[in-house]
Amino acid sequence: MLLSLVVHTYSLRYWFPAAVMLGTAPAYLLTWAAWRLLSTVLPARFYHRMDDRIYWVYQSMVLFFFENYTGVEVVIYGDIPKTKENVVYLSNHQCTVDWIIADMLAIRQNALGHVRYVLKDGLKWLPLYGWYFSQHGGVYVKRSSKFDEKAMRKKLISQTNLGTPMYLVIFPEGTRYNPELKKVISESQAFAAKEGLAVLKHILTPRMKASRIAVETMKNHLDAVYDITVAYENTMDAKGQRQMAPSMPEFLCKECPRVHVYFERVDVKEIPPEPVFFRRWLHDRFELKDKLLTAFYDSEDPEKRCRFPGEGQKSPLSLRKTLPSLLFLGGLTLPMLLTESGRKLYVNTWIYGTLLGWLWVTVSP
């Protein structure tokens, strides 16, 4: 009985925020759809400007749960610019929480509404979210020989021609680093050795296509590339071996007390445009990431382990930036659930929003 109560209480730590985030999605989508309809008679830049604001509302509500609710401590190494910039954000990739880390940094620059992702193609089938991410300026890509360079360029050019603020998040490894997947790691290391590149231990060999196309296509629109290295505490076993990074449910269950983020800004003018030199530049950046993560996980000095070199600054997120969005979206959702007609609208939004989204991703290139 006591064990069941403990398990039930533990699961509520995840199910409550998950229910709120998913439960407010229809109200969010209806708000966006109303604006999309109204903005058809306006210049496109007006639509994108308000779309960014609507996106900010939802994502800041998400951050309420991932930061304020969990109480996670965010430690940042390096100086994040206080003003918004048009950037490509390059990060190592370990888990789905990495998406949220990008939001955590963006909100500290008041750029949360400008976050757009380069995502693997299969995620476009996510109900409601998959379709909307593309509408917001995200790019879906396939791996290796199926990568559609022309489609990505077209999408980015359409955004830059409108002057759309850009905070484009890319994970160049192409998949998550999982220390338990030895075969994936060994194949990545073998590929690096074959190509004459440095073999990496705590990170996978980066793929350059999406990053190069993004920087090249938007070179006159971008200010910088943000080179981000992320490490999660509480991811080492009793023997000091690295374990899997937390999943979203685990993170919401407060299993990660602290996130370390190493931030470096690279001026876009410093990045070589030629593919062969860009590839070397990108791998060099990931070699530096690997050294940071090696220091984090493998340092022989216990005081230097579980931290990056240099001085990190704790960066708490004010409730003023997240709680109003939670109250606003909750205020839109609750009235829908209290009446029969509202509940029908709510359910139909989930059903038809998902079906229309799937139809769109089926016919779109």
Side-chain angles (χ1 to χ4, degrees):
M1 178 68 178
L2 180 59
L3 179 61
S4 298
L5 180 61
V6 170
V7 172
H8 181 66
T9 303
Y10 179 83
S11 66
L12 282 178
R13 297 167 76 178
Y14 161 61
W15 284 111
F16 169 66
V20 174
M21 287 185 283
L22 292 173
T24 55
Y28 170 73
L29 183 64
L30 287 171
T31 302
W32 171 82
W35 169 243
R36 189 71 185 96
L37 190 62
L38 291 171
S39 65
T40 53
V41 297
L42 300 174
R45 66 178 182 274
F46 288 103
Y47 159 70
H48 287 289
R49 192 175 300 170
M50 183 57 69
D51 174 54
D52 281 2
R53 291 184 180 276
I54 297 172
Y55 184 76
W56 177 302
V57 170
Y58 187 81
Q59 291 301 110
S60 58
M61 183 268 293
V62 169
L63 284 179
F64 169 83
F65 289 107
F66 277 91
E67 277 209 66
N68 303 120
Y69 170 81
T70 63
V72 67
E73 191 174 87
V74 179
V75 182
I76 298 176
Y77 302 75
D79 298 320
I80 299 178
K82 297 186 183 302
T83 57
K84 290 183 282 190
E85 298 184 289
N86 290 317
V87 302
V88 170
Y89 170 114
L90 301 179
S91 175
N92 60 313
H93 193 23
Q94 308 159 77
C95 59
T96 50
V97 182
D98 294 335
W99 296 5
I100 306 299
I101 303 301
D103 287 348
M104 289 178 179
L105 295 186
I107 199 172
R108 285 162 170 80
Q109 280 185 275
N110 293 319
L112 184 57
H114 309 329
V115 174
R116 310 171 211 286
Y117 298 98
V118 173
L119 300 164
K120 62 183 180 182
D121 191 67
L123 292 174
K124 68 185 181 182
W125 298 102
L126 283 173
L128 296 187
Y129 296 96
W131 169 68
Y132 175 73
F133 280 147
S134 180
Q135 296 296 307
H136 184 62
V139 182
Y140 288 106
V141 296
K142 296 180 180 179
R143 296 173 181 168
S144 304
S145 59
K146 296 181 179 181
F147 187 96
D148 192 339
E149 180 176 328
K150 184 178 179 181
M152 182 174 181
R153 288 186 185 277
K154 182 179 179 181
K155 185 68 174 284
L156 294 177
I157 289 172
S158 69
Q159 296 287 314
T160 55
N161 285 345
L162 292 169
T164 304
M166 187 61 64
Y167 198 104
L168 186 66
V169 178
I170 303 177
F171 300 109
E173 291 163 278
T175 191
R176 293 172 234 163
Y177 178 97
N178 182 343
E180 296 180 2
L181 299 180
K182 305 296 184 183
K183 183 180 179 182
V184 173
I185 295 172
S186 62
E187 288 177 350
S188 174
Q189 292 173 338
F191 175 80
K194 178 183 176 183
E195 297 295 316
L197 301 169
V199 174
L200 309 177
K201 179 181 180 182
H202 284 289
I203 210 165
L204 300 178
T205 303
R207 306 167 189 235
M208 76 161 186
K209 280 187 180 179
S211 305
R212 181 181 65 81
I213 291 170
V215 173
E216 179 186 306
T217 303
M218 301 190 294
K219 60 185 177 182
N220 295 323
H221 187 63
L222 295 175
D223 298 302
V225 166
Y226 288 173
D227 185 5
I228 307 298
T229 307
V230 178
Y232 301 91
E233 280 198 22
N234 205 24
T235 52
M236 296 173 68
D237 62 19
K239 296 180 180 180
Q241 297 299 308
R242 184 178 176 184
Q243 301 295 296
M244 287 179 59
S247 64
M248 283 189 176
E250 290 169 340
F251 197 91
L252 288 170
C253 287
K254 309 182 182 184
E255 293 192 11
C256 178
R258 194 171 292 108
V259 176
H260 296 260
V261 181
Y262 197 95
F263 175 94
E264 288 190 83
R265 182 188 185 277
V266 182
D267 193 289
V268 72
K269 296 176 183 177
E270 299 176 13
I271 302 173
E274 300 85 357
V276 64
F277 294 119
F278 182 91
R279 182 188 190 188
R280 172 61 66 178
W281 172 85
L282 182 64
H283 196 85
D284 287 347
R285 299 306 305 185
F286 270 69
E287 188 176 356
L288 292 173
K289 290 179 186 295
D290 193 55
K291 290 178 179 178
L292 289 170
L293 291 167
T294 298
F296 188 94
Y297 289 107
D298 300 337
S299 176
E300 295 181 0
D301 186 345
E303 293 186 2
K304 293 182 179 179
R305 191 174 290 187
C306 291
R307 56 166 296 144
F308 288 133
E311 185 176 351
Q313 299 291 330
K314 297 177 184 177
S315 179
L317 180 63
S318 172
L319 277 170
R320 290 179 294 178
K321 289 192 172 185
T322 59
L323 185 58
S325 297
L326 173 65
L327 297 176
F328 175 75
L329 288 170
L332 289 179
T333 302
L334 284 176
M336 294 175 64
L337 299 177
L338 293 176
T339 64
E340 184 177 351
S341 58
R343 287 191 291 272
K344 287 182 179 179
L345 177 61
Y346 182 89
V347 172
N348 287 337
T349 300
W350 265 110
I351 295 173
Y352 293 111
T354 298
L355 292 176
L356 287 172
W358 287 348
L359 176 63
W360 178 85
V361 300
T362 300
V363 300
S364 63

